[in-house]
Amino acid sequence: MSATPLLVAEHLMKRFPNGVQAVDDVSLTVHPGETVGIVGESGSGKSTTAKLVLRLLDADEGTIRFDGEDLRALRGGALRSLRKRLQLVPQNPQTSFNPKLTIGDSIAFNLTVHGTRSKPAHARAVELLERVGVARGHARKHPHELSGGQLQRCAIARALATEPQLVVCDEAVSALDKSVQAQVLNLLAELQRETGVAFLFISHDLAVVEHVADRVIVMYLGEVVEEGPAIDLWRAPAHEYTRTLLAATPERLLATRDAATAAAPAR
Amino acid sequence: MSTARTTLQRTTVDDIITRAGDHEHVLTVEDLTVAFTRRKRRIEAVRGVSFALTAGRTLVLLGESGSGKSVTARAILRLYGRSAAVGGSVRLGDTELTTLEESWMRGIRGGAIGMVPQDPSGSLDPLRRVASQIVEVLARHDVEQDARRARAFGAGLLERVGIHDPDRVLDAFPFELSGGMRQRVAIAIAIACRPRVLIADEPTTALDVTVQAQVLELFTELQQELDMALLLVTHDVGVARIVGDDVAVMYAGRLVETGRVDQVLAQPGHPYTAGLLDALPTPGIPRGELLAIPGRPPGPDELMQEHMCAFAPRCRFAQPACESHRPPLVEVRPAQAAACDLVEPLALRPRGTVRPAASGSAGRTRPAGSLSQGGVR
Ligand SMILES: Nc1ncnc2c1ncn2[C@@H]1O[C@H](COP(=O)(O)OP(=O)(O)OP(=O)(O)O)[C@@H](O)[C@H]1O
Ligand SMILES: Nc1ncnc2c1ncn2[C@@H]1O[C@H](COP(=O)(O)OP(=O)(O)O)[C@@H](O)[C@H]1O
Ligand code: SF4
Ligand SMILES: [Mg+2]
Ligand SMILES: [Mg+2]
């Protein structure tokens, strides 16, 4: 792991006008090429944390350094150029793509908005689609004409168009069927090997996070309650909430049941 | 006159329900087909599905989205009315439900057969407090006509499903409750009349993992307590493993594998079942090396070829013969049936053992239709 971190967020705070303290003193670090997972139950502040990091929301307090720059101080052109290096793959591609634009236009737009001219942007869009396993003909289709899995590949292509250093995946595979989810997870891993992109990977599915993440952050009621390499966390969860979370996953429940069955004499 | 008729009907419905208890299979579904018409085309969402439910046991209907699970569940309760053409037979005990008079069917729905939908907001009326919804169900099925006693009964039900402050919840509107709480209320309503059969359509999909575990536990408890037959619809193998006794795996409107959950998941007899298991992220599988099933499940409008195996375009064992005939569901080992006769069951070992050695090559996804190189036959 490289010594200089890509993203360092410290003591982030966010309270919404309705009084909800969605993020309460959250700190996290992501190194280049690393995948950091965030798990936690619904409402624990995962998406809000992601939005603070993406500057889609402004933090009340705390500092965010991205590639050495003070992210919260960036304005105008500097902020735009940062957006290029920091992209998002959202949960529901069906609503994140403009229904009126073709897939190709949507992906190209992510390039033209950062100064690429239209023609090369469209050519690059087609290239990217092929890279993520979507037939180039789909560039001319509209979002509703594609399946969830295909559209999620398109969302990945759109995020990668700007050659970002960090991509935030907020429940990016949660809505997919398991057989298709495996394809998309493999694709993400492959792209990471190829481009060295880092992922901040949010999911409520512990099995998925365990599979993709180098390190995992566990959030509970807006706070980070535990953090560490996925393996350590899973083997020896220190925090009560992590234990509850782990105990609740089907695979764990099953492992306990299997152990009990194995111990019992055969029926 | 109308009271007399209602009483008569009530007796008959009660009769049907009581008689259902005398049968080994409380509910029998035979060769069920459900077809919709979309843009003048006939879309067969369910094609020849058969299974039977037993009191005290849970059958899991497992399959990916669009495979026809919900349509099956809803067709049993005749929720499609005239908007779908339903064929085959659904029997509660020895009573045929597909031809039963609609007014009697209303007594069965929510009475002998309870239903918990995926999204509790679908079964709860957003504009009415929980109490009035419970009171109404109890009155409709003649469990308790007195509103005050019905409320007390409702409080007991809510406590039974793990709600600690039933009075507050009774006075709440659905939107004032969390997702897990709403699902508990929906379950309370579904079991209010002590149904013989409970149908739950993805009852935990919208819930958090921690809440999901609690709700699944609740289902298991209630089922034992009320000696219900439970039909649980899910796309999640993990859920199937926890609550299921038996499983029916559905693909493109048909059952492709049936058997006992432990047996089927340990030794799948159909490549689709094996593929579903292999696709799950499991500890120890290196990143990026999940065994995905290539392609995707057939979409709603895709014309399905009757003469071929619907899984063929994605099956790693597919052979030319699979394109020209559709294997029926046949026994592959005692109490386990699969709709694939081309794979020796032993080839489909449980996950982990099927994976080829890591080769460092990029995609692990095999091209559709290619034969397995894994020494299968
Ligand atoms: N715009 C907003 N206004 C007010 N409250 C909000 C807003 N966005 C989020 N919240 C609240 O902040 C808390 C954290 O929300 P957040 O979306 O970050 O949760 P999450 O961990 O992503 O949950 P999920 O797993 O359901 O996506 C919740 O209590 C939520 O209701
Ligand atoms: N009311 C309807 N009209 C037309 N088609 C429908 C209707 N309901 C479901 N379908 C189609 O039937 C198929 C099975 O759907 P469904 O049973 O909901 O799948 P799932 O297994 O995800 O529950 C899908 O292709 C779906 O689009
Ligand atoms: S081997 Fe042939 S029949 Fe069996 S599932 Fe695969 S395609 Fe279908
Ligand atoms: Mg979220
Ligand atoms: Mg469904």
Side-chain angles (χ1 to χ4, degrees), chain B residues 56-73:
Chain B
R57 283 184 82 80
T58 299
L59 173 72
V60 171
L61 195 53
L62 178 71
E64 294 179 285
S65 83
S67 56
K69 307 179 299 292
S70 298
V71 172
T72 303

Side-chain angles (χ1 to χ4, degrees), chain A residues 100-164:
Chain A
K100 297 206 185 84
L101 294 185
T102 64
I103 297 296
D105 286 343
S106 276
I107 297 173
F109 180 73
N110 201 19
L111 285 164
T112 49
V113 77
H114 291 114
T116 312
R117 279 180 307 117
S118 175
K119 220 172 152 198
H122 276 86
R124 175 92 180 112
V126 171
E127 246 171 59
L128 283 160
L129 281 179
E130 291 202 316
R131 178 62 203 88
V132 297
V134 174
R136 54 191 306 144
H138 285 30
R140 286 191 304 275
K141 293 198 171 166
H142 287 85
H144 72 269
E145 296 176 88
L146 271 60
S147 74
Q150 283 173 321
L151 213 47
Q152 202 56 297
R153 287 168 187 272
C154 296
I156 292 168
R158 182 181 55 186
L160 289 173
T162 59
E163 297 175 9

Side-chain angles (χ1 to χ4, degrees), chain A residues 35 41-42 147 177-179 182-183 185-186 189-190 192 204 207 210-214 245 248 250-251 253-254 257 267, chain B residues 64-65 208-210 213 238 241-242 262 279-281 283 285-290 292-297 314 351 362-363:
Chain A
T35 300
E41 64 187 0
S42 182
S147 74
D177 273 319
K178 292 289 188 245
S179 67
Q183 298 169 7
L185 288 175
N186 283 349
E190 219 176 288
Q192 185 169 49
H204 66 274
E210 178 175 51
H211 180 73
V212 300
D214 299 298
L245 206 58
E251 293 307 305
L253 289 174
L254 184 75
R257 204 185 82 173
R267 275 183 271 191
Chain B
E64 294 179 285
S65 83
D208 244 74
V209 276
T210 44
R241 294 174 107 138
I242 294 173
D262 43 6
L280 297 178
I285 295 187
R287 199 182 304 172
E289 297 192 8
L290 296 172
I293 305 178
R296 62 186 171 86
R314 308 176 71 195
R351 74 179 122 155

Side-chain angles (χ1 to χ4, degrees), chain B residues 43-306:
Chain B
I43 295 175
E44 293 198 348
V46 174
R47 302 179 296 165
V49 163
S50 305
F51 56 79
L53 303 182
T54 313
R57 283 184 82 80
T58 299
L59 173 72
V60 171
L61 195 53
L62 178 71
E64 294 179 285
S65 83
S67 56
K69 307 179 299 292
S70 298
V71 172
T72 303
R74 295 173 56 88
I76 291 173
L77 287 166
R78 289 203 355 215
L79 293 176
Y80 289 113
R82 287 178 198 287
S83 66
V86 177
S89 159
V90 177
R91 291 190 302 279
L92 181 67
D94 56 6
T95 307
E96 179 61 51
L97 296 186
T98 52
T99 50
L100 196 67
E101 203 181 303
E102 174 55 29
S103 58
W104 293 13
M105 198 59 209
R106 275 197 287 272
I108 303 282
R109 254 182 240 125
I113 309 181
M115 170 101 177
V116 181
Q118 168 164 352
D119 179 3
S121 37
S123 71
L124 300 177
D125 183 340
L127 300 177
R128 283 166 55 206
R129 294 181 201 277
V130 169
S132 100
Q133 304 195 39
I134 294 185
V135 167
E136 195 230 288
V137 170
L138 293 172
R140 178 165 11 114
H141 294 285
D142 220 9
V143 176
E144 182 55 78
Q145 296 290 358
D146 179 79
R148 267 193 43 218
R149 280 201 300 267
R151 188 188 155 100
F153 190 98
L157 280 173
L158 292 183
E159 262 175 10
R160 180 60 206 88
V161 298
I163 291 175
H164 301 300
D165 44 356
D167 276 310
R168 181 184 72 84
V169 173
L170 280 170
D171 289 324
F173 287 100
F175 68 83
E176 295 175 297
L177 305 170
S178 72
M181 209 66 124
R182 272 202 298 272
Q183 196 55 297
R184 283 175 199 271
V185 170
I187 294 170
I189 292 178
I191 61 161
C193 305
R194 300 186 74 99
R196 299 267 167 184
V197 177
L198 185 62
I199 300 178
D201 190 357
E202 310 248 11
T204 58
T205 303
L207 306 177
D208 244 74
V209 276
T210 44
V211 184
Q212 169 176 320
Q214 296 159 5
V215 171
L216 290 178
E217 204 167 302
L218 174 63
F219 269 111
T220 315
E221 277 172 32
L222 289 173
Q223 184 205 36
Q224 295 307 321
E225 207 175 296
L226 303 174
D227 200 28
M228 295 181 295
L230 178 58
L231 176 66
L232 192 124
V233 172
T234 183
H235 67 275
D236 188 334
V237 178
V239 169
R241 294 174 107 138
I242 294 173
V243 295
D245 296 303
D246 306 299
V247 65
V249 184
M250 200 160 182
Y251 191 79
R254 287 185 200 280
L255 297 189
V256 295
E257 178 152 18
T258 61
R260 287 197 14 201
V261 169
D262 43 6
Q263 195 171 317
V264 167
L265 299 188
Q267 271 190 297
H270 194 281
Y272 175 62
T273 316
L276 272 185
L277 290 169
D278 283 335
L280 297 178
T282 319
I285 295 187
R287 199 182 304 172
E289 297 192 8
L290 296 172
L291 257 188
I293 305 178
R296 62 186 171 86
D301 294 338
E302 268 157 79
L303 218 61
M304 308 218 222
Q305 309 275 328
E306 270 311 294

Side-chain angles (χ1 to χ4, degrees), chain A residues 21-237:
Chain A
Q21 187 74 46
V23 171
D24 192 357
D25 196 15
V26 166
S27 300
L28 62 94
T29 305
V30 182
H31 290 89
E34 186 188 30
T35 300
V36 174
I38 305 186
V39 297
E41 64 187 0
S42 182
S44 57
K46 309 182 293 290
S47 296
T48 307
T49 302
K51 283 176 193 156
L52 297 180
V53 166
L54 288 161
R55 275 283 309 262
L56 296 173
L57 275 177
D58 266 320
D60 299 333
E61 281 172 54
T63 57
I64 310 174
R65 297 194 77 79
F66 183 77
D67 205 15
E69 286 175 88
D70 179 1
L71 198 143
R72 291 191 60 203
L74 295 183
R75 298 278 179 277
L79 182 59
R80 227 170 305 127
S81 98
L82 167 102
R83 290 247 155 89
K84 225 174 125 173
R85 296 182 281 150
L86 188 50
Q87 291 278 320
L88 170 72
V89 178
Q91 167 161 7
N92 189 347
Q94 214 60 257
T95 54
S96 80
F97 275 95
N98 184 337
K100 297 206 185 84
L101 294 185
T102 64
I103 297 296
D105 286 343
S106 276
I107 297 173
F109 180 73
N110 201 19
L111 285 164
T112 49
V113 77
H114 291 114
T116 312
R117 279 180 307 117
S118 175
K119 220 172 152 198
H122 276 86
R124 175 92 180 112
V126 171
E127 246 171 59
L128 283 160
L129 281 179
E130 291 202 316
R131 178 62 203 88
V132 297
V134 174
R136 54 191 306 144
H138 285 30
R140 286 191 304 275
K141 293 198 171 166
H142 287 85
H144 72 269
E145 296 176 88
L146 271 60
S147 74
Q150 283 173 321
L151 213 47
Q152 202 56 297
R153 287 168 187 272
C154 296
I156 292 168
R158 182 181 55 186
L160 289 173
T162 59
E163 297 175 9
Q165 291 159 286
L166 177 66
V167 174
V168 177
C169 303
D170 190 357
E171 305 278 5
V173 297
S174 307
L176 303 178
D177 273 319
K178 292 289 188 245
S179 67
V180 178
Q181 180 180 85
Q183 298 169 7
V184 174
L185 288 175
N186 283 349
L187 173 67
L188 288 173
E190 219 176 288
L191 294 169
Q192 185 169 49
R193 270 201 303 271
E194 246 169 57
T195 64
V197 64
F199 290 121
L200 187 58
F201 194 96
I202 298 174
S203 176
H204 66 274
D205 188 334
L206 292 149
V208 168
V209 173
E210 178 175 51
H211 180 73
V212 300
D214 299 298
R215 279 186 311 114
V216 177
I217 288 170
V218 183
M219 286 191 70
Y220 185 62
L221 296 178
E223 294 178 50
V224 174
V225 294
E226 191 162 356
E227 174 177 4
I231 300 177
D232 293 357
L233 234 55
W234 264 241
R235 274 205 204 115

